């Protein structure tokens, strides 16, 4: 385990020419203090969790001191935002402190969000508010607990700094870890500027450091293989989101990681009742990024990436790479949903079994997470919870017809019911980060500087597939106040 001052930095991105970034430094803020620290993430970079207790920890991660070996930059990128190309974005309020290699040889970006203005701030203040850092911190760790690829959360530093949004809030900084922060938009910016040399350099850098298994591939073929791999990873990521009921909220191409991991948590949401048109982001009235639009948006965004990479490959090759999206997505989604239903041997009629269940859930506004979780005991014939599931559906006749088909289907598959229930519980989480749970932690933090609820949720969501009897209440569908929460882009 390492101390703060001997983290092994190896900053590969700053070895690229300065056209790729701007050197910058975080701007410290008033009365910084540690709000939350996540030892699980610190282990990824071999940082001794005991270091979080030192006063220097806050100084290093709020810009007062610079970690030895760090080389802070704001990365340049562009992106399609709500369908429109924005020629220059870049880290307007985030700073890549540097890259640290963990003991298993895996390198992690140390990335500080809310560090003040950078050359890419476009007139905005470069800050993040406490509310949004708590949401990202909890959201990313919840996602990791669900075994869905994501950036990780190291810590939140709070402050007394006033930050102006719809109201006065306090500023905070979040430190997160990711294999890199290279986005679809990192490629778009050079392509649209016709800087094809820089585009090729970025592709070479990305392959060398992040897709090394493609490095030996001959000639330009490796760029095609790279694109194909991003397509497939993204398809699998979106399938995992759809299966767990996660809506990202702002799937602009600058929020799409080339690693196929969930990144840039803003106005995201997990489904409470099943509503395919669920729009988590109040600033998206048209629902471009509604829950059920995500699979199509994933392909749209990949097409923007493919378009940007055209100087490096033929159109036919790019189209062939994109053609992988649909089969990989459909296959991954079907596998997730079959597992959620407790089925192991796929059959043609399974699609209809699922769509009828979803249709009933939509019609009766049944809670998505709780319904799937309770299916395990429902599936065990004669299980006491059978009636509890049935009672979720006012249309008993329709439900009974479905249940008869489901039971017949399970019967045809055979197998030991207890083993099946265990398998189902391992893929149907009991706990997700419902908006109202995050909101309760935020209110305590904002109103009382009481951060205990953040820790409670981190512990809960680390293990979302296990029963945690003392936490039973956290599995509940939202109370009335929690159904009305409004989450916007402004954060
Ligand atoms: P986001 O919606 O957080 O993904 O941000 C989209 C773009 O706007 C990125 O380039 C951000 O760096 C930038 N941005 C968002 N909020 C701020 C802010 N308060 N100050 C400066 N730039 C910001
Ligand atoms: Mg972003």
């Amino acid at each position: 385990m390492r101390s703060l001052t001997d983290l092994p930095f190896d900053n590969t991105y700053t070895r690229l020419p300065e056209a790729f970034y701007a050197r910058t430094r975080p701007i410290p803020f008033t009365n910084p203090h540690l709000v939350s620290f996540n030892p699980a993430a610190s282990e990824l970079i071999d940082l001794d969790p005991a270091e979080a207790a030192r006063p220097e920890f806050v100084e290093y991660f709020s810009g007062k001191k610079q970690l030895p070996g760090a080389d802070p930059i704001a990365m340049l990128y562009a992106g399609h935002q709500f369908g429109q190309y924005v020629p220059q974005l870049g880290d307007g309020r985030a700073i890549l402190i540097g890259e640290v290699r963990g003991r298993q040889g895996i390198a992690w970006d140390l990335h500080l969000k809310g560090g003040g203005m950078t050359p890419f701030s476009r007139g905005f203040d470069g800050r993040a508010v406490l509310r949004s850092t708590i949401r990202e911190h909890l959201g990313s760790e919840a996602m990791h607990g669900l075994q869905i690829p994501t950036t990780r959360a190291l810590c939140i530093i709070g402050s007394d700094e006033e930050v102006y949004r719809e109201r006065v809030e306090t500023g905070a900084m979040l430190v997160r870890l990711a294999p890199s922060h290279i986005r679809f938009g990192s490629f778009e910016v050079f392509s649209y500027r016709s800087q094809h040399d820089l585009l090729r350099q970025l592709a070479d850098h990305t392959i060398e450091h992040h897709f090394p298994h493609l490095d030996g591939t001959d000639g330009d073929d490796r760029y095609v293989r790279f694109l194909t791999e991003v397509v497939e990873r993204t398809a699998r990521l979106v399938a995992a989101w759809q299966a767990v009921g996660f809506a990202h909220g702002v799937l602009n191409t600058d929020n799409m990681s080339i690693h196929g991991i969930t990144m840039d948590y803003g106005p995201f949401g997990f489904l409470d009742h099943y509503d395919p048109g669920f729009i988590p982001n109040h600033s998206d009235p048209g629902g471009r990024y509604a829950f059920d639009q995500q699979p199509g948006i994933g392909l749209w965004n990949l097409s923007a990436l493919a378009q940007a990479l055209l100087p490096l490959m033929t159109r036919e090759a790019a189209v062939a790479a994109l053609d992988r999206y649909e089969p990989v997505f459909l296959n991954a989604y079907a596998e997730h949903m079959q597992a959620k239903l407790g089925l192991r041997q796929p059959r043609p009629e399974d699609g209809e079994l699922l769509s009828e269940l979803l249709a009933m859930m939509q019609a009766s506004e049944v809670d998505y997470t709780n319904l799937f979780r309770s299916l395990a005991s429902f599936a065990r014939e004669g299980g006491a919870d059978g009636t509890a599931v049935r009672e979720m559906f006012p249309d008993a006749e329709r439900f009974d017809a479905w249940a008869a088909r489901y039971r017949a289907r399970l019967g045809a598959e055979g197998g030991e019911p207890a083993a099946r229930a265990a398998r189902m519980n391992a893929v149907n989480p009991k706990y997700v980060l419902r908006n109202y749970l995050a909101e309760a932690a935020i209110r305590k933090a904002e109103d009382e500087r009481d951060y205990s609820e953040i820790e409670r949720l981190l512990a809960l969501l680390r293990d979302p597939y296990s029963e945690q009897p003392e936490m039973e209440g956290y599995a509940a569908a939202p109370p009335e106040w929690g159904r009305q929460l409004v989450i916007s882009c402004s954060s």
Side-chain angles (χ1 to χ4, degrees), residues 219-249:
D220 287 358
D221 190 42
R222 61 207 210 111
Y223 303 127
V224 179
R225 295 229 212 159
F226 163 64
L227 175 61
T228 308
E229 198 166 320
V230 179
V231 168
E232 294 183 354
R233 287 190 197 190
T234 305
R236 283 194 291 269
L237 176 68
V238 178
W241 289 347
Q242 300 309 112
V244 82
F246 173 81
H248 179 286

Short mmCIF file of all heavy atoms in Angstrom, two decimals, residues 219-249:
data_model
loop_
_atom_site.label_atom_id
_atom_site.label_comp_id
_atom_site.label_asym_id
_atom_site.label_seq_id
_atom_site.Cartn_x
_atom_site.Cartn_y
_atom_site.Cartn_z
N GLY A 219 -1.37 -2.90 -40.34
CA GLY A 219 -1.83 -1.70 -41.04
C GLY A 219 -3.07 -1.07 -40.46
O GLY A 219 -3.25 -1.01 -39.25
N ASP A 220 -3.92 -0.59 -41.34
CA ASP A 220 -5.10 0.15 -40.92
C ASP A 220 -6.18 -0.75 -40.34
O ASP A 220 -7.14 -0.27 -39.75
CB ASP A 220 -5.67 0.95 -42.10
CG ASP A 220 -4.77 2.15 -42.41
OD1 ASP A 220 -3.77 2.33 -41.69
OD2 ASP A 220 -5.08 2.88 -43.37
N ASP A 221 -6.01 -2.05 -40.52
CA ASP A 221 -7.00 -2.98 -40.01
C ASP A 221 -7.23 -2.81 -38.51
O ASP A 221 -8.31 -3.04 -38.00
CB ASP A 221 -6.54 -4.40 -40.34
CG ASP A 221 -7.62 -5.40 -40.06
OD1 ASP A 221 -8.78 -5.11 -40.40
OD2 ASP A 221 -7.32 -6.46 -39.48
N ARG A 222 -6.19 -2.39 -37.80
CA ARG A 222 -6.34 -2.27 -36.35
C ARG A 222 -7.34 -1.18 -35.97
O ARG A 222 -8.00 -1.29 -34.94
CB ARG A 222 -5.00 -2.05 -35.67
CG ARG A 222 -4.30 -0.79 -36.10
CD ARG A 222 -2.80 -0.95 -35.95
NE ARG A 222 -2.21 0.36 -35.67
CZ ARG A 222 -1.67 0.68 -34.50
NH1 ARG A 222 -1.62 -0.19 -33.52
NH2 ARG A 222 -1.18 1.87 -34.32
N TYR A 223 -7.45 -0.15 -36.80
CA TYR A 223 -8.45 0.89 -36.51
C TYR A 223 -9.86 0.31 -36.63
O TYR A 223 -10.75 0.65 -35.85
CB TYR A 223 -8.28 2.09 -37.44
CG TYR A 223 -6.89 2.71 -37.38
CD1 TYR A 223 -6.16 2.90 -38.54
CD2 TYR A 223 -6.33 3.09 -36.16
CE1 TYR A 223 -4.88 3.47 -38.48
CE2 TYR A 223 -5.07 3.64 -36.09
CZ TYR A 223 -4.34 3.83 -37.26
OH TYR A 223 -3.09 4.38 -37.20
N VAL A 224 -10.04 -0.54 -37.62
CA VAL A 224 -11.35 -1.18 -37.80
C VAL A 224 -11.65 -2.09 -36.62
O VAL A 224 -12.76 -2.10 -36.08
CB VAL A 224 -11.39 -1.98 -39.12
CG1 VAL A 224 -12.75 -2.67 -39.28
CG2 VAL A 224 -11.08 -1.08 -40.31
N ARG A 225 -10.63 -2.82 -36.21
CA ARG A 225 -10.84 -3.72 -35.07
C ARG A 225 -11.14 -2.92 -33.79
O ARG A 225 -11.91 -3.36 -32.95
CB ARG A 225 -9.60 -4.57 -34.84
CG ARG A 225 -9.36 -5.48 -36.00
CD ARG A 225 -9.13 -6.86 -35.47
NE ARG A 225 -8.22 -7.56 -36.34
CZ ARG A 225 -7.51 -8.60 -35.96
NH1 ARG A 225 -7.57 -9.01 -34.72
NH2 ARG A 225 -6.74 -9.22 -36.82
N PHE A 226 -10.48 -1.77 -33.69
CA PHE A 226 -10.75 -0.90 -32.54
C PHE A 226 -12.21 -0.45 -32.55
O PHE A 226 -12.94 -0.59 -31.56
CB PHE A 226 -9.79 0.30 -32.57
CG PHE A 226 -10.21 1.46 -31.70
CD1 PHE A 226 -10.30 1.32 -30.32
CD2 PHE A 226 -10.55 2.68 -32.27
CE1 PHE A 226 -10.70 2.38 -29.52
CE2 PHE A 226 -10.95 3.75 -31.47
CZ PHE A 226 -11.03 3.59 -30.09
N LEU A 227 -12.65 0.07 -33.68
CA LEU A 227 -14.04 0.52 -33.78
C LEU A 227 -14.99 -0.63 -33.47
O LEU A 227 -15.97 -0.46 -32.73
CB LEU A 227 -14.31 1.11 -35.17
CG LEU A 227 -15.77 1.51 -35.43
CD1 LEU A 227 -16.24 2.60 -34.46
CD2 LEU A 227 -15.95 1.98 -36.89
N THR A 228 -14.71 -1.79 -34.04
CA THR A 228 -15.58 -2.95 -33.82
C THR A 228 -15.68 -3.27 -32.34
O THR A 228 -16.76 -3.55 -31.81
CB THR A 228 -15.05 -4.17 -34.58
OG1 THR A 228 -14.82 -3.79 -35.95
CG2 THR A 228 -16.03 -5.32 -34.54
N GLU A 229 -14.55 -3.18 -31.67
CA GLU A 229 -14.57 -3.51 -30.24
C GLU A 229 -15.35 -2.46 -29.43
O GLU A 229 -16.08 -2.81 -28.50
CB GLU A 229 -13.14 -3.65 -29.71
CG GLU A 229 -13.14 -4.40 -28.41
CD GLU A 229 -11.76 -4.88 -27.99
OE1 GLU A 229 -10.97 -5.33 -28.84
OE2 GLU A 229 -11.50 -4.81 -26.77
N VAL A 230 -15.21 -1.20 -29.80
CA VAL A 230 -15.99 -0.16 -29.10
C VAL A 230 -17.49 -0.41 -29.34
O VAL A 230 -18.31 -0.29 -28.43
CB VAL A 230 -15.58 1.26 -29.54
CG1 VAL A 230 -16.43 2.31 -28.82
CG2 VAL A 230 -14.10 1.51 -29.26
N VAL A 231 -17.83 -0.76 -30.59
CA VAL A 231 -19.23 -1.05 -30.93
C VAL A 231 -19.75 -2.17 -30.04
O VAL A 231 -20.81 -2.06 -29.41
CB VAL A 231 -19.36 -1.44 -32.42
CG1 VAL A 231 -20.75 -2.02 -32.71
CG2 VAL A 231 -19.08 -0.23 -33.32
N GLU A 232 -18.99 -3.24 -29.93
CA GLU A 232 -19.47 -4.41 -29.19
C GLU A 232 -19.55 -4.13 -27.69
O GLU A 232 -20.51 -4.51 -27.02
CB GLU A 232 -18.59 -5.62 -29.49
CG GLU A 232 -18.73 -6.05 -30.96
CD GLU A 232 -17.95 -7.29 -31.32
OE1 GLU A 232 -17.18 -7.79 -30.48
OE2 GLU A 232 -18.10 -7.76 -32.48
N ARG A 233 -18.54 -3.43 -27.18
CA ARG A 233 -18.58 -3.11 -25.74
C ARG A 233 -19.75 -2.20 -25.42
O ARG A 233 -20.42 -2.37 -24.39
CB ARG A 233 -17.29 -2.39 -25.32
CG ARG A 233 -16.08 -3.29 -25.26
CD ARG A 233 -14.93 -2.54 -24.60
NE ARG A 233 -13.65 -3.17 -24.86
CZ ARG A 233 -12.52 -2.82 -24.23
NH1 ARG A 233 -12.52 -1.84 -23.35
NH2 ARG A 233 -11.39 -3.42 -24.51
N THR A 234 -19.99 -1.22 -26.30
CA THR A 234 -21.11 -0.30 -26.05
C THR A 234 -22.44 -1.04 -26.12
O THR A 234 -23.33 -0.80 -25.29
CB THR A 234 -21.06 0.86 -27.07
OG1 THR A 234 -19.78 1.48 -27.01
CG2 THR A 234 -22.13 1.90 -26.77
N ALA A 235 -22.56 -1.94 -27.07
CA ALA A 235 -23.81 -2.72 -27.19
C ALA A 235 -24.06 -3.52 -25.91
O ALA A 235 -25.18 -3.56 -25.39
CB ALA A 235 -23.72 -3.66 -28.39
N ARG A 236 -23.01 -4.12 -25.38
CA ARG A 236 -23.17 -4.91 -24.15
C ARG A 236 -23.49 -4.01 -22.96
O ARG A 236 -24.27 -4.36 -22.08
CB ARG A 236 -21.92 -5.75 -23.89
CG ARG A 236 -21.85 -6.99 -24.79
CD ARG A 236 -20.80 -7.98 -24.28
NE ARG A 236 -19.46 -7.45 -24.46
CZ ARG A 236 -18.70 -7.65 -25.53
NH1 ARG A 236 -19.15 -8.40 -26.52
NH2 ARG A 236 -17.50 -7.13 -25.61
N LEU A 237 -22.87 -2.82 -22.94
CA LEU A 237 -23.13 -1.88 -21.84
C LEU A 237 -24.59 -1.44 -21.85
O LEU A 237 -25.27 -1.47 -20.82
CB LEU A 237 -22.21 -0.66 -21.96
CG LEU A 237 -22.47 0.44 -20.92
CD1 LEU A 237 -22.08 -0.04 -19.52
CD2 LEU A 237 -21.71 1.72 -21.27
N VAL A 238 -25.08 -1.05 -23.02
CA VAL A 238 -26.47 -0.57 -23.08
C VAL A 238 -27.43 -1.70 -22.73
O VAL A 238 -28.43 -1.50 -22.04
CB VAL A 238 -26.78 0.06 -24.47
CG1 VAL A 238 -28.23 0.52 -24.53
CG2 VAL A 238 -25.85 1.24 -24.76
N ALA A 239 -27.12 -2.92 -23.16
CA ALA A 239 -27.97 -4.07 -22.81
C ALA A 239 -28.04 -4.24 -21.30
O ALA A 239 -29.11 -4.51 -20.73
CB ALA A 239 -27.45 -5.34 -23.48
N ALA A 240 -26.90 -4.06 -20.64
CA ALA A 240 -26.87 -4.20 -19.18
C ALA A 240 -27.70 -3.09 -18.52
O ALA A 240 -28.42 -3.34 -17.55
CB ALA A 240 -25.43 -4.17 -18.66
N TRP A 241 -27.62 -1.87 -19.07
CA TRP A 241 -28.45 -0.77 -18.54
C TRP A 241 -29.93 -1.11 -18.67
O TRP A 241 -30.71 -0.91 -17.74
CB TRP A 241 -28.21 0.53 -19.32
CG TRP A 241 -26.90 1.20 -19.11
CD1 TRP A 241 -25.97 0.95 -18.14
CD2 TRP A 241 -26.37 2.27 -19.92
NE1 TRP A 241 -24.90 1.81 -18.30
CE2 TRP A 241 -25.11 2.62 -19.37
CE3 TRP A 241 -26.84 2.96 -21.06
CZ2 TRP A 241 -24.33 3.63 -19.93
CZ3 TRP A 241 -26.06 3.96 -21.59
CH2 TRP A 241 -24.81 4.30 -21.04
N GLN A 242 -30.32 -1.60 -19.86
CA GLN A 242 -31.74 -1.87 -20.09
C GLN A 242 -32.23 -2.96 -19.15
O GLN A 242 -33.35 -2.92 -18.65
CB GLN A 242 -31.98 -2.28 -21.56
CG GLN A 242 -31.59 -1.24 -22.60
CD GLN A 242 -32.14 0.15 -22.35
OE1 GLN A 242 -31.40 1.07 -22.05
NE2 GLN A 242 -33.45 0.31 -22.44
N ALA A 243 -31.38 -3.94 -18.90
CA ALA A 243 -31.80 -5.06 -18.06
C ALA A 243 -31.98 -4.63 -16.60
O ALA A 243 -32.89 -5.08 -15.92
CB ALA A 243 -30.79 -6.20 -18.15
N VAL A 244 -31.14 -3.72 -16.14
CA VAL A 244 -31.21 -3.34 -14.73
C VAL A 244 -32.17 -2.15 -14.53
O VAL A 244 -32.54 -1.83 -13.40
CB VAL A 244 -29.79 -3.03 -14.19
CG1 VAL A 244 -29.35 -1.63 -14.55
CG2 VAL A 244 -29.70 -3.27 -12.70
N GLY A 245 -32.56 -1.50 -15.64
CA GLY A 245 -33.49 -0.38 -15.53
C GLY A 245 -32.80 0.95 -15.26
O GLY A 245 -33.30 1.78 -14.50
N PHE A 246 -31.66 1.17 -15.90
CA PHE A 246 -30.90 2.41 -15.70
C PHE A 246 -31.05 3.31 -16.91
O PHE A 246 -30.89 2.87 -18.05
CB PHE A 246 -29.41 2.07 -15.51
CG PHE A 246 -28.50 3.28 -15.46
CD1 PHE A 246 -28.36 4.01 -14.29
CD2 PHE A 246 -27.78 3.68 -16.58
CE1 PHE A 246 -27.51 5.12 -14.24
CE2 PHE A 246 -26.93 4.78 -16.54
CZ PHE A 246 -26.80 5.51 -15.36
N ALA A 247 -31.35 4.58 -16.66
CA ALA A 247 -31.37 5.57 -17.73
C ALA A 247 -30.28 6.59 -17.44
O ALA A 247 -30.27 7.21 -16.38
CB ALA A 247 -32.74 6.25 -17.80
N HIS A 248 -29.37 6.77 -18.39
CA HIS A 248 -28.21 7.64 -18.17
C HIS A 248 -28.61 9.11 -18.11
O HIS A 248 -28.07 9.88 -17.31
CB HIS A 248 -27.18 7.40 -19.28
CG HIS A 248 -25.96 8.25 -19.19
ND1 HIS A 248 -25.96 9.59 -19.52
CD2 HIS A 248 -24.69 7.98 -18.79
CE1 HIS A 248 -24.73 10.09 -19.32
NE2 HIS A 248 -23.95 9.12 -18.89
N GLY A 249 -29.52 9.51 -18.99
CA GLY A 249 -30.01 10.88 -18.94
C GLY A 249 -29.40 11.82 -19.95
O GLY A 249 -30.11 12.66 -20.51
#
